[in-house]
Amino acid sequence: MAAQSINKSAKFSPAIGRPPGSNTLLWSGVGLLMLCLTFTSFRDNRSLQPFRITGLAQGTSYSITYYHQRELVHQRQIDSIFNRLDQSLSIYSPTSLISRFNQSATGIEVDIHLRKVTKRSLEIFNDTDGAFDITVYPLVKKWGFGVEKVALLPDSATIRSILPCVGSGKIRLVQNQLVKAVPCTQIDVNGIAQGYSVDVIAAYLERKGIRNYLVEVGGELRVKGRKYPENKVMSIGIQTPTENDFESGDIQRVIEIDQGGITTSGNYRKYRQIGSRRLSHIIDPKTGFTTQSEIISVTVLAKDALTADGYDNALLSMGLPKALSFLEHHPSLNAYIIYQKQDGSVSDTATAGFYKSNR
């Protein structure tokens, strides 16, 4: 009890910031402990080494680099995660949950993956005034961007017949049920699923105790921490199209990022060439036709890859003036936009925070 009385009544010296007298040893001990913890943390970080896993999934390649004292994750674990995601989100699997929903008349019970992706998609649909809409799948198929290719492009009458099936207002989540208002409504989450997959892999790494990593799936990324043993912020290179062309080139914009998702949507990445016409894979859900935008590509930085992946498609379809106005009102998003000027030359622009490291 005496010790308690001394500690409660002790006064701190403004000059040295600690109690006088017998408590000096106690404070010295705390300082020594903090020094030891700092030294141990520094020593542990120096011992971090890179581990890399690469493979094929979701019709593309993936690459994972993480930094730790020992190997904690193996390729079979990552491939198992991708298999579970495909069973939920892949339109290319006839037995997946999303395929079952598309084949149903009223809807189905969904798992956590399809529920999370649909929930975020509906949020982005509302936030972008319908610029991002996962119910475009009937149109996607008609334009030849679905599972099966088509020889002929749809005419206006065909598009008009499909539009009553389209619109995210025709689907809703009721607990674990995803229901549809009309039987012909079908969804395609390819515009956001890879970003979600990146986040799922990142969450798995963190559950394993990994705090420094870079996860990439088909060019969509999630980053956290630093690169070791150099102890440097991770640098991300962005591929830009060649001058006066929509083809991808070798010019790189480089940004530093230590946390968040970074994704890109581009007309030069996925398109159909019909004679002299180049058709964008981005379809306007309101008109039913492929978008004709001066924007060539959009790279988005956001808190996670799921968010970035949803908004990059929306911004691409908006056109440059509307996209820039939208970004002004969404400070949590940063974007780098490549666009074609009226004279045919290629230029770029970015939000103020895009090149700033978030260290």
Side-chain angles (χ1 to χ4, degrees), residues 49-95:
Q49 57 180 310
F51 295 93
R52 193 161 186 250
I53 303 170
T54 59
L56 300 174
Q58 299 181 340
T60 186
S61 61
Y62 70 82
S63 175
I64 299 165
T65 302
Y66 68 90
Y67 303 88
H68 204 269
Q69 289 87 355
R70 58 191 179 90
E71 189 174 18
L72 296 175
V73 179
H74 300 85
Q75 184 168 8
R76 66 179 181 275
Q77 296 164 309
I78 300 300
D79 288 342
S80 177
I81 294 173
F82 279 119
N83 288 335
R84 290 196 296 273
L85 289 169
D86 285 346
Q87 290 168 14
S88 178
L89 306 174
S90 175
I91 59 172
Y92 295 92
S93 170
T95 60

mmCIF file of all heavy atoms in Angstrom, residues 49-95:
data_model
loop_
_atom_site.group_PDB
_atom_site.id
_atom_site.type_symbol
_atom_site.label_atom_id
_atom_site.label_comp_id
_atom_site.label_asym_id
_atom_site.label_seq_id
_atom_site.Cartn_x
_atom_site.Cartn_y
_atom_site.Cartn_z
ATOM 1 N N GLN A 49 12.957 -11.876 -45.654
ATOM 2 C CA GLN A 49 13.416 -12.238 -46.987
ATOM 3 C C GLN A 49 12.217 -12.456 -47.896
ATOM 4 O O GLN A 49 11.112 -12.736 -47.434
ATOM 5 C CB GLN A 49 14.284 -13.497 -46.935
ATOM 6 C CG GLN A 49 13.599 -14.706 -46.313
ATOM 7 C CD GLN A 49 14.494 -15.919 -46.272
ATOM 8 O OE1 GLN A 49 15.088 -16.290 -47.287
ATOM 9 N NE2 GLN A 49 14.624 -16.533 -45.100
ATOM 10 N N PRO A 50 12.405 -12.303 -49.217
ATOM 11 C CA PRO A 50 11.270 -12.430 -50.138
ATOM 12 C C PRO A 50 10.958 -13.890 -50.472
ATOM 13 O O PRO A 50 11.855 -14.711 -50.626
ATOM 14 C CB PRO A 50 11.760 -11.682 -51.383
ATOM 15 C CG PRO A 50 13.249 -11.820 -51.344
ATOM 16 C CD PRO A 50 13.629 -11.838 -49.890
ATOM 17 N N PHE A 51 9.666 -14.167 -50.585
ATOM 18 C CA PHE A 51 9.175 -15.456 -51.073
ATOM 19 C C PHE A 51 8.201 -15.149 -52.204
ATOM 20 O O PHE A 51 7.349 -14.258 -52.071
ATOM 21 C CB PHE A 51 8.489 -16.240 -49.957
ATOM 22 C CG PHE A 51 9.407 -16.648 -48.850
ATOM 23 C CD1 PHE A 51 9.555 -15.840 -47.717
ATOM 24 C CD2 PHE A 51 10.150 -17.823 -48.924
ATOM 25 C CE1 PHE A 51 10.408 -16.199 -46.691
ATOM 26 C CE2 PHE A 51 11.016 -18.190 -47.898
ATOM 27 C CZ PHE A 51 11.147 -17.380 -46.777
ATOM 28 N N ARG A 52 8.313 -15.897 -53.304
ATOM 29 C CA ARG A 52 7.495 -15.601 -54.483
ATOM 30 C C ARG A 52 6.744 -16.840 -54.935
ATOM 31 O O ARG A 52 7.291 -17.944 -54.961
ATOM 32 C CB ARG A 52 8.379 -15.081 -55.623
ATOM 33 C CG ARG A 52 7.589 -14.448 -56.765
ATOM 34 C CD ARG A 52 8.474 -13.551 -57.609
ATOM 35 N NE ARG A 52 7.704 -12.840 -58.617
ATOM 36 C CZ ARG A 52 7.772 -13.088 -59.915
ATOM 37 N NH1 ARG A 52 8.583 -14.033 -60.365
ATOM 38 N NH2 ARG A 52 7.044 -12.397 -60.778
ATOM 39 N N ILE A 53 5.468 -16.619 -55.283
ATOM 40 C CA ILE A 53 4.609 -17.689 -55.800
ATOM 41 C C ILE A 53 3.985 -17.185 -57.092
ATOM 42 O O ILE A 53 3.418 -16.088 -57.123
ATOM 43 C CB ILE A 53 3.499 -18.053 -54.800
ATOM 44 C CG1 ILE A 53 4.086 -18.455 -53.447
ATOM 45 C CG2 ILE A 53 2.628 -19.187 -55.348
ATOM 46 C CD1 ILE A 53 3.048 -18.599 -52.355
ATOM 47 N N THR A 54 4.083 -17.963 -58.166
ATOM 48 C CA THR A 54 3.466 -17.587 -59.434
ATOM 49 C C THR A 54 2.649 -18.759 -59.960
ATOM 50 O O THR A 54 2.902 -19.917 -59.623
ATOM 51 C CB THR A 54 4.524 -17.203 -60.480
ATOM 52 O OG1 THR A 54 5.407 -18.319 -60.702
ATOM 53 C CG2 THR A 54 5.350 -16.014 -60.008
ATOM 54 N N GLY A 55 1.674 -18.439 -60.791
ATOM 55 C CA GLY A 55 0.847 -19.491 -61.362
ATOM 56 C C GLY A 55 -0.173 -18.931 -62.320
ATOM 57 O O GLY A 55 -0.126 -17.745 -62.697
ATOM 58 N N LEU A 56 -1.113 -19.775 -62.727
ATOM 59 C CA LEU A 56 -2.181 -19.397 -63.634
ATOM 60 C C LEU A 56 -3.517 -19.593 -62.941
ATOM 61 O O LEU A 56 -3.734 -20.602 -62.270
ATOM 62 C CB LEU A 56 -2.124 -20.236 -64.909
ATOM 63 C CG LEU A 56 -0.840 -20.137 -65.749
ATOM 64 C CD1 LEU A 56 -0.887 -21.130 -66.902
ATOM 65 C CD2 LEU A 56 -0.659 -18.714 -66.287
ATOM 66 N N ALA A 57 -4.406 -18.628 -63.121
ATOM 67 C CA ALA A 57 -5.753 -18.714 -62.536
ATOM 68 C C ALA A 57 -6.638 -17.681 -63.195
ATOM 69 O O ALA A 57 -6.161 -16.653 -63.689
ATOM 70 C CB ALA A 57 -5.710 -18.482 -61.029
ATOM 71 N N GLN A 58 -7.924 -17.956 -63.257
ATOM 72 C CA GLN A 58 -8.930 -17.022 -63.760
ATOM 73 C C GLN A 58 -8.607 -16.529 -65.166
ATOM 74 O O GLN A 58 -8.847 -15.371 -65.519
ATOM 75 C CB GLN A 58 -9.089 -15.847 -62.791
ATOM 76 C CG GLN A 58 -9.542 -16.282 -61.402
ATOM 77 C CD GLN A 58 -9.723 -15.136 -60.428
ATOM 78 O OE1 GLN A 58 -9.190 -14.048 -60.628
ATOM 79 N NE2 GLN A 58 -10.473 -15.368 -59.365
ATOM 80 N N GLY A 59 -8.043 -17.411 -65.978
ATOM 81 C CA GLY A 59 -7.733 -17.061 -67.352
ATOM 82 C C GLY A 59 -6.560 -16.126 -67.516
ATOM 83 O O GLY A 59 -6.355 -15.543 -68.583
ATOM 84 N N THR A 60 -5.751 -15.970 -66.478
ATOM 85 C CA THR A 60 -4.612 -15.074 -66.528
ATOM 86 C C THR A 60 -3.519 -15.610 -65.605
ATOM 87 O O THR A 60 -3.595 -16.744 -65.133
ATOM 88 C CB THR A 60 -5.036 -13.643 -66.115
ATOM 89 O OG1 THR A 60 -3.939 -12.752 -66.306
ATOM 90 C CG2 THR A 60 -5.498 -13.594 -64.662
ATOM 91 N N SER A 61 -2.510 -14.820 -65.365
ATOM 92 C CA SER A 61 -1.428 -15.225 -64.469
ATOM 93 C C SER A 61 -1.544 -14.482 -63.148
ATOM 94 O O SER A 61 -2.210 -13.446 -63.051
ATOM 95 C CB SER A 61 -0.070 -14.928 -65.102
ATOM 96 O OG SER A 61 0.070 -13.544 -65.344
ATOM 97 N N TYR A 62 -0.908 -15.028 -62.131
ATOM 98 C CA TYR A 62 -0.844 -14.328 -60.850
ATOM 99 C C TYR A 62 0.575 -14.397 -60.303
ATOM 100 O O TYR A 62 1.354 -15.296 -60.634
ATOM 101 C CB TYR A 62 -1.841 -14.899 -59.843
ATOM 102 C CG TYR A 62 -1.531 -16.285 -59.311
ATOM 103 C CD1 TYR A 62 -0.624 -16.475 -58.269
ATOM 104 C CD2 TYR A 62 -2.158 -17.409 -59.843
ATOM 105 C CE1 TYR A 62 -0.347 -17.740 -57.769
ATOM 106 C CE2 TYR A 62 -1.880 -18.681 -59.359
ATOM 107 C CZ TYR A 62 -0.985 -18.837 -58.326
ATOM 108 O OH TYR A 62 -0.699 -20.092 -57.840
ATOM 109 N N SER A 63 0.898 -13.426 -59.474
ATOM 110 C CA SER A 63 2.219 -13.361 -58.848
ATOM 111 C C SER A 63 2.064 -12.803 -57.446
ATOM 112 O O SER A 63 1.411 -11.772 -57.244
ATOM 113 C CB SER A 63 3.150 -12.467 -59.673
ATOM 114 O OG SER A 63 4.391 -12.300 -59.017
ATOM 115 N N ILE A 64 2.649 -13.495 -56.488
ATOM 116 C CA ILE A 64 2.582 -13.085 -55.082
ATOM 117 C C ILE A 64 4.001 -13.012 -54.536
ATOM 118 O O ILE A 64 4.767 -13.977 -54.655
ATOM 119 C CB ILE A 64 1.760 -14.083 -54.249
ATOM 120 C CG1 ILE A 64 0.322 -14.158 -54.772
ATOM 121 C CG2 ILE A 64 1.782 -13.708 -52.771
ATOM 122 C CD1 ILE A 64 -0.444 -15.357 -54.264
ATOM 123 N N THR A 65 4.347 -11.883 -53.971
ATOM 124 C CA THR A 65 5.624 -11.738 -53.288
ATOM 125 C C THR A 65 5.339 -11.295 -51.855
ATOM 126 O O THR A 65 4.628 -10.308 -51.637
ATOM 127 C CB THR A 65 6.521 -10.695 -53.969
ATOM 128 O OG1 THR A 65 6.734 -11.069 -55.331
ATOM 129 C CG2 THR A 65 7.865 -10.599 -53.261
ATOM 130 N N TYR A 66 5.872 -12.041 -50.908
ATOM 131 C CA TYR A 66 5.716 -11.636 -49.511
ATOM 132 C C TYR A 66 7.063 -11.739 -48.806
ATOM 133 O O TYR A 66 7.970 -12.450 -49.249
ATOM 134 C CB TYR A 66 4.645 -12.467 -48.803
ATOM 135 C CG TYR A 66 4.967 -13.933 -48.592
ATOM 136 C CD1 TYR A 66 5.616 -14.379 -47.437
ATOM 137 C CD2 TYR A 66 4.600 -14.885 -49.534
ATOM 138 C CE1 TYR A 66 5.893 -15.722 -47.231
ATOM 139 C CE2 TYR A 66 4.876 -16.234 -49.343
ATOM 140 C CZ TYR A 66 5.517 -16.647 -48.195
ATOM 141 O OH TYR A 66 5.798 -17.978 -47.996
ATOM 142 N N TYR A 67 7.174 -11.005 -47.690
ATOM 143 C CA TYR A 67 8.442 -10.899 -46.973
ATOM 144 C C TYR A 67 8.248 -11.383 -45.540
ATOM 145 O O TYR A 67 7.374 -10.902 -44.818
ATOM 146 C CB TYR A 67 8.936 -9.452 -46.995
ATOM 147 C CG TYR A 67 9.088 -8.915 -48.408
ATOM 148 C CD1 TYR A 67 8.013 -8.314 -49.054
ATOM 149 C CD2 TYR A 67 10.293 -9.050 -49.103
ATOM 150 C CE1 TYR A 67 8.134 -7.843 -50.351
ATOM 151 C CE2 TYR A 67 10.421 -8.584 -50.397
ATOM 152 C CZ TYR A 67 9.345 -7.980 -51.017
ATOM 153 O OH TYR A 67 9.470 -7.527 -52.313
ATOM 154 N N HIS A 68 9.059 -12.357 -45.169
ATOM 155 C CA HIS A 68 8.949 -12.928 -43.831
ATOM 156 C C HIS A 68 10.261 -13.617 -43.487
ATOM 157 O O HIS A 68 11.146 -13.793 -44.347
ATOM 158 C CB HIS A 68 7.791 -13.933 -43.766
ATOM 159 C CG HIS A 68 7.251 -14.116 -42.374
ATOM 160 N ND1 HIS A 68 7.728 -15.088 -41.527
ATOM 161 C CD2 HIS A 68 6.273 -13.460 -41.697
ATOM 162 C CE1 HIS A 68 7.060 -15.020 -40.374
ATOM 163 N NE2 HIS A 68 6.179 -14.034 -40.453
ATOM 164 N N GLN A 69 10.382 -14.019 -42.206
ATOM 165 C CA GLN A 69 11.586 -14.738 -41.787
ATOM 166 C C GLN A 69 11.634 -16.159 -42.344
ATOM 167 O O GLN A 69 12.706 -16.738 -42.506
ATOM 168 C CB GLN A 69 11.678 -14.802 -40.247
ATOM 169 C CG GLN A 69 12.006 -13.472 -39.596
ATOM 170 C CD GLN A 69 10.761 -12.661 -39.320
ATOM 171 O OE1 GLN A 69 9.659 -13.062 -39.696
ATOM 172 N NE2 GLN A 69 10.921 -11.513 -38.666
ATOM 173 N N ARG A 70 10.452 -16.720 -42.631
ATOM 174 C CA ARG A 70 10.407 -18.089 -43.157
ATOM 175 C C ARG A 70 9.221 -18.245 -44.097
ATOM 176 O O ARG A 70 8.309 -17.417 -44.128
ATOM 177 C CB ARG A 70 10.288 -19.091 -42.006
ATOM 178 C CG ARG A 70 9.085 -18.890 -41.114
ATOM 179 C CD ARG A 70 9.161 -19.735 -39.858
ATOM 180 N NE ARG A 70 8.011 -19.538 -38.973
ATOM 181 C CZ ARG A 70 6.901 -20.237 -39.028
ATOM 182 N NH1 ARG A 70 6.781 -21.214 -39.950
ATOM 183 N NH2 ARG A 70 5.898 -20.018 -38.210
ATOM 184 N N GLU A 71 9.240 -19.305 -44.855
ATOM 185 C CA GLU A 71 8.171 -19.572 -45.821
ATOM 186 C C GLU A 71 6.905 -20.016 -45.087
ATOM 187 O O GLU A 71 6.917 -20.983 -44.331
ATOM 188 C CB GLU A 71 8.614 -20.647 -46.809
ATOM 189 C CG GLU A 71 7.667 -20.841 -47.969
ATOM 190 C CD GLU A 71 8.213 -21.816 -49.002
ATOM 191 O OE1 GLU A 71 9.146 -22.581 -48.653
ATOM 192 O OE2 GLU A 71 7.715 -21.811 -50.135
ATOM 193 N N LEU A 72 5.813 -19.297 -45.333
ATOM 194 C CA LEU A 72 4.565 -19.573 -44.637
ATOM 195 C C LEU A 72 3.436 -20.007 -45.562
ATOM 196 O O LEU A 72 2.460 -20.609 -45.110
ATOM 197 C CB LEU A 72 4.101 -18.331 -43.867
ATOM 198 C CG LEU A 72 4.988 -17.847 -42.726
ATOM 199 C CD1 LEU A 72 4.440 -16.546 -42.163
ATOM 200 C CD2 LEU A 72 5.091 -18.905 -41.634
ATOM 201 N N VAL A 73 3.546 -19.685 -46.843
ATOM 202 C CA VAL A 73 2.468 -19.943 -47.800
ATOM 203 C C VAL A 73 3.042 -20.653 -49.023
ATOM 204 O O VAL A 73 4.130 -20.322 -49.494
ATOM 205 C CB VAL A 73 1.791 -18.623 -48.221
ATOM 206 C CG1 VAL A 73 0.687 -18.887 -49.249
ATOM 207 C CG2 VAL A 73 1.230 -17.895 -47.009
ATOM 208 N N HIS A 74 2.278 -21.630 -49.529
ATOM 209 C CA HIS A 74 2.719 -22.402 -50.684
ATOM 210 C C HIS A 74 1.702 -22.299 -51.814
ATOM 211 O O HIS A 74 0.541 -21.910 -51.593
ATOM 212 C CB HIS A 74 2.925 -23.872 -50.306
ATOM 213 C CG HIS A 74 3.941 -24.075 -49.229
ATOM 214 N ND1 HIS A 74 3.621 -23.995 -47.888
ATOM 215 C CD2 HIS A 74 5.272 -24.329 -49.288
ATOM 216 C CE1 HIS A 74 4.719 -24.204 -47.166
ATOM 217 N NE2 HIS A 74 5.734 -24.407 -47.989
ATOM 218 N N GLN A 75 2.118 -22.673 -53.004
ATOM 219 C CA GLN A 75 1.268 -22.511 -54.174
ATOM 220 C C GLN A 75 -0.016 -23.323 -54.075
ATOM 221 O O GLN A 75 -1.074 -22.868 -54.510
ATOM 222 C CB GLN A 75 2.028 -22.905 -55.443
ATOM 223 C CG GLN A 75 1.224 -22.655 -56.713
ATOM 224 C CD GLN A 75 2.056 -22.775 -57.964
ATOM 225 O OE1 GLN A 75 3.203 -23.177 -57.924
ATOM 226 N NE2 GLN A 75 1.467 -22.417 -59.100
ATOM 227 N N ARG A 76 0.044 -24.498 -53.498
ATOM 228 C CA ARG A 76 -1.174 -25.314 -53.409
ATOM 229 C C ARG A 76 -2.253 -24.618 -52.579
ATOM 230 O O ARG A 76 -3.451 -24.768 -52.847
ATOM 231 C CB ARG A 76 -0.846 -26.694 -52.818
ATOM 232 C CG ARG A 76 -0.380 -26.681 -51.372
ATOM 233 C CD ARG A 76 -0.089 -28.080 -50.853
ATOM 234 N NE ARG A 76 0.332 -28.079 -49.465
ATOM 235 C CZ ARG A 76 1.568 -27.887 -49.058
ATOM 236 N NH1 ARG A 76 2.536 -27.664 -49.965
ATOM 237 N NH2 ARG A 76 1.873 -27.900 -47.773
ATOM 238 N N GLN A 77 -1.846 -23.850 -51.579
ATOM 239 C CA GLN A 77 -2.823 -23.114 -50.771
ATOM 240 C C GLN A 77 -3.466 -21.993 -51.588
ATOM 241 O O GLN A 77 -4.678 -21.772 -51.506
ATOM 242 C CB GLN A 77 -2.133 -22.549 -49.527
ATOM 243 C CG GLN A 77 -1.591 -23.624 -48.591
ATOM 244 C CD GLN A 77 -0.591 -23.056 -47.596
ATOM 245 O OE1 GLN A 77 0.354 -22.363 -47.978
ATOM 246 N NE2 GLN A 77 -0.800 -23.332 -46.316
ATOM 247 N N ILE A 78 -2.654 -21.298 -52.374
ATOM 248 C CA ILE A 78 -3.163 -20.213 -53.213
ATOM 249 C C ILE A 78 -4.086 -20.768 -54.290
ATOM 250 O O ILE A 78 -5.174 -20.229 -54.537
ATOM 251 C CB ILE A 78 -2.005 -19.430 -53.845
ATOM 252 C CG1 ILE A 78 -1.103 -18.827 -52.750
ATOM 253 C CG2 ILE A 78 -2.534 -18.355 -54.778
ATOM 254 C CD1 ILE A 78 -1.808 -17.878 -51.822
ATOM 255 N N ASP A 79 -3.681 -21.850 -54.934
ATOM 256 C CA ASP A 79 -4.514 -22.452 -55.978
ATOM 257 C C ASP A 79 -5.840 -22.942 -55.413
ATOM 258 O O ASP A 79 -6.881 -22.882 -56.086
ATOM 259 C CB ASP A 79 -3.770 -23.595 -56.665
ATOM 260 C CG ASP A 79 -2.636 -23.106 -57.559
ATOM 261 O OD1 ASP A 79 -2.647 -21.910 -57.919
ATOM 262 O OD2 ASP A 79 -1.747 -23.913 -57.894
ATOM 263 N N SER A 80 -5.834 -23.413 -54.193
ATOM 264 C CA SER A 80 -7.070 -23.854 -53.549
ATOM 265 C C SER A 80 -8.028 -22.676 -53.354
ATOM 266 O O SER A 80 -9.249 -22.810 -53.539
ATOM 267 C CB SER A 80 -6.758 -24.506 -52.197
ATOM 268 O OG SER A 80 -7.940 -24.874 -51.530
ATOM 269 N N ILE A 81 -7.493 -21.519 -52.996
ATOM 270 C CA ILE A 81 -8.324 -20.322 -52.845
ATOM 271 C C ILE A 81 -8.939 -19.928 -54.184
ATOM 272 O O ILE A 81 -10.135 -19.620 -54.278
ATOM 273 C CB ILE A 81 -7.497 -19.164 -52.262
ATOM 274 C CG1 ILE A 81 -7.073 -19.480 -50.825
ATOM 275 C CG2 ILE A 81 -8.289 -17.856 -52.308
ATOM 276 C CD1 ILE A 81 -6.113 -18.476 -50.225
ATOM 277 N N PHE A 82 -8.126 -19.943 -55.242
ATOM 278 C CA PHE A 82 -8.646 -19.601 -56.565
ATOM 279 C C PHE A 82 -9.743 -20.578 -57.002
ATOM 280 O O PHE A 82 -10.737 -20.164 -57.616
ATOM 281 C CB PHE A 82 -7.520 -19.592 -57.596
ATOM 282 C CG PHE A 82 -6.715 -18.324 -57.610
ATOM 283 C CD1 PHE A 82 -5.366 -18.340 -57.333
ATOM 284 C CD2 PHE A 82 -7.311 -17.106 -57.908
ATOM 285 C CE1 PHE A 82 -4.617 -17.179 -57.347
ATOM 286 C CE2 PHE A 82 -6.574 -15.938 -57.928
ATOM 287 C CZ PHE A 82 -5.228 -15.970 -57.647
ATOM 288 N N ASN A 83 -9.577 -21.845 -56.693
ATOM 289 C CA ASN A 83 -10.597 -22.831 -57.047
ATOM 290 C C ASN A 83 -11.928 -22.523 -56.357
ATOM 291 O O ASN A 83 -12.994 -22.621 -56.974
ATOM 292 C CB ASN A 83 -10.124 -24.241 -56.687
ATOM 293 C CG ASN A 83 -9.034 -24.750 -57.615
ATOM 294 O OD1 ASN A 83 -8.937 -24.299 -58.760
ATOM 295 N ND2 ASN A 83 -8.210 -25.668 -57.141
ATOM 296 N N ARG A 84 -11.861 -22.142 -55.086
ATOM 297 C CA ARG A 84 -13.087 -21.804 -54.367
ATOM 298 C C ARG A 84 -13.731 -20.544 -54.945
ATOM 299 O O ARG A 84 -14.963 -20.449 -55.035
ATOM 300 C CB ARG A 84 -12.795 -21.632 -52.874
ATOM 301 C CG ARG A 84 -12.450 -22.933 -52.170
ATOM 302 C CD ARG A 84 -12.553 -22.787 -50.660
ATOM 303 N NE ARG A 84 -11.607 -21.845 -50.120
ATOM 304 C CZ ARG A 84 -10.363 -22.145 -49.759
ATOM 305 N NH1 ARG A 84 -9.900 -23.398 -49.911
ATOM 306 N NH2 ARG A 84 -9.552 -21.227 -49.250
ATOM 307 N N LEU A 85 -12.905 -19.574 -55.324
ATOM 308 C CA LEU A 85 -13.439 -18.362 -55.934
ATOM 309 C C LEU A 85 -14.110 -18.661 -57.274
ATOM 310 O O LEU A 85 -15.181 -18.118 -57.580
ATOM 311 C CB LEU A 85 -12.314 -17.337 -56.128
ATOM 312 C CG LEU A 85 -11.766 -16.693 -54.850
ATOM 313 C CD1 LEU A 85 -10.490 -15.918 -55.140
ATOM 314 C CD2 LEU A 85 -12.805 -15.778 -54.217
ATOM 315 N N ASP A 86 -13.498 -19.540 -58.073
ATOM 316 C CA ASP A 86 -14.094 -19.908 -59.354
ATOM 317 C C ASP A 86 -15.427 -20.615 -59.169
ATOM 318 O O ASP A 86 -16.355 -20.425 -59.958
ATOM 319 C CB ASP A 86 -13.138 -20.806 -60.149
ATOM 320 C CG ASP A 86 -11.977 -20.033 -60.751
ATOM 321 O OD1 ASP A 86 -12.045 -18.782 -60.781
ATOM 322 O OD2 ASP A 86 -10.997 -20.666 -61.189
ATOM 323 N N GLN A 87 -15.542 -21.425 -58.139
ATOM 324 C CA GLN A 87 -16.802 -22.121 -57.876
ATOM 325 C C GLN A 87 -17.918 -21.147 -57.537
ATOM 326 O O GLN A 87 -19.096 -21.475 -57.654
ATOM 327 C CB GLN A 87 -16.611 -23.117 -56.728
ATOM 328 C CG GLN A 87 -15.739 -24.312 -57.085
ATOM 329 C CD GLN A 87 -15.326 -25.118 -55.863
ATOM 330 O OE1 GLN A 87 -15.895 -24.943 -54.780
ATOM 331 N NE2 GLN A 87 -14.337 -25.984 -56.019
ATOM 332 N N SER A 88 -17.550 -19.956 -57.146
ATOM 333 C CA SER A 88 -18.538 -18.939 -56.809
ATOM 334 C C SER A 88 -18.746 -17.938 -57.936
ATOM 335 O O SER A 88 -19.894 -17.628 -58.289
ATOM 336 C CB SER A 88 -18.104 -18.191 -55.548
ATOM 337 O OG SER A 88 -19.012 -17.158 -55.220
ATOM 338 N N LEU A 89 -17.666 -17.407 -58.540
ATOM 339 C CA LEU A 89 -17.740 -16.207 -59.358
ATOM 340 C C LEU A 89 -17.523 -16.390 -60.852
ATOM 341 O O LEU A 89 -17.710 -15.440 -61.622
ATOM 342 C CB LEU A 89 -16.697 -15.198 -58.854
ATOM 343 C CG LEU A 89 -16.741 -14.843 -57.369
ATOM 344 C CD1 LEU A 89 -15.569 -13.953 -56.998
ATOM 345 C CD2 LEU A 89 -18.056 -14.168 -57.009
ATOM 346 N N SER A 90 -17.146 -17.579 -61.296
ATOM 347 C CA SER A 90 -16.750 -17.765 -62.694
ATOM 348 C C SER A 90 -17.940 -18.050 -63.607
ATOM 349 O O SER A 90 -18.638 -19.051 -63.432
ATOM 350 C CB SER A 90 -15.742 -18.905 -62.811
ATOM 351 O OG SER A 90 -15.438 -19.160 -64.175
ATOM 352 N N ILE A 91 -18.134 -17.195 -64.613
ATOM 353 C CA ILE A 91 -19.175 -17.451 -65.614
ATOM 354 C C ILE A 91 -18.739 -18.562 -66.568
ATOM 355 O O ILE A 91 -19.561 -19.069 -67.344
ATOM 356 C CB ILE A 91 -19.506 -16.183 -66.418
ATOM 357 C CG1 ILE A 91 -18.258 -15.659 -67.136
ATOM 358 C CG2 ILE A 91 -20.125 -15.118 -65.518
ATOM 359 C CD1 ILE A 91 -18.531 -14.520 -68.104
ATOM 360 N N TYR A 92 -17.466 -18.950 -66.518
ATOM 361 C CA TYR A 92 -16.961 -19.996 -67.407
ATOM 362 C C TYR A 92 -17.202 -21.394 -66.842
ATOM 363 O O TYR A 92 -16.996 -22.383 -67.532
ATOM 364 C CB TYR A 92 -15.460 -19.789 -67.667
ATOM 365 C CG TYR A 92 -15.189 -18.506 -68.414
ATOM 366 C CD1 TYR A 92 -14.910 -17.319 -67.730
ATOM 367 C CD2 TYR A 92 -15.229 -18.468 -69.804
ATOM 368 C CE1 TYR A 92 -14.682 -16.132 -68.408
ATOM 369 C CE2 TYR A 92 -14.989 -17.286 -70.495
ATOM 370 C CZ TYR A 92 -14.719 -16.130 -69.796
ATOM 371 O OH TYR A 92 -14.508 -14.956 -70.474
ATOM 372 N N SER A 93 -17.613 -21.471 -65.600
ATOM 373 C CA SER A 93 -17.950 -22.755 -64.989
ATOM 374 C C SER A 93 -19.463 -22.893 -64.942
ATOM 375 O O SER A 93 -20.135 -22.105 -64.265
ATOM 376 C CB SER A 93 -17.374 -22.846 -63.567
ATOM 377 O OG SER A 93 -17.894 -23.984 -62.905
ATOM 378 N N PRO A 94 -20.039 -23.888 -65.627
ATOM 379 C CA PRO A 94 -21.506 -24.034 -65.641
ATOM 380 C C PRO A 94 -22.098 -24.410 -64.298
ATOM 381 O O PRO A 94 -23.303 -24.275 -64.091
ATOM 382 C CB PRO A 94 -21.734 -25.139 -66.682
ATOM 383 C CG PRO A 94 -20.443 -25.900 -66.723
ATOM 384 C CD PRO A 94 -19.362 -24.898 -66.451
ATOM 385 N N THR A 95 -21.257 -24.861 -63.364
ATOM 386 C CA THR A 95 -21.764 -25.260 -62.047
ATOM 387 C C THR A 95 -21.480 -24.237 -60.961
ATOM 388 O O THR A 95 -21.812 -24.462 -59.795
ATOM 389 C CB THR A 95 -21.138 -26.610 -61.626
ATOM 390 O OG1 THR A 95 -19.712 -26.472 -61.573
ATOM 391 C CG2 THR A 95 -21.509 -27.711 -62.620
#
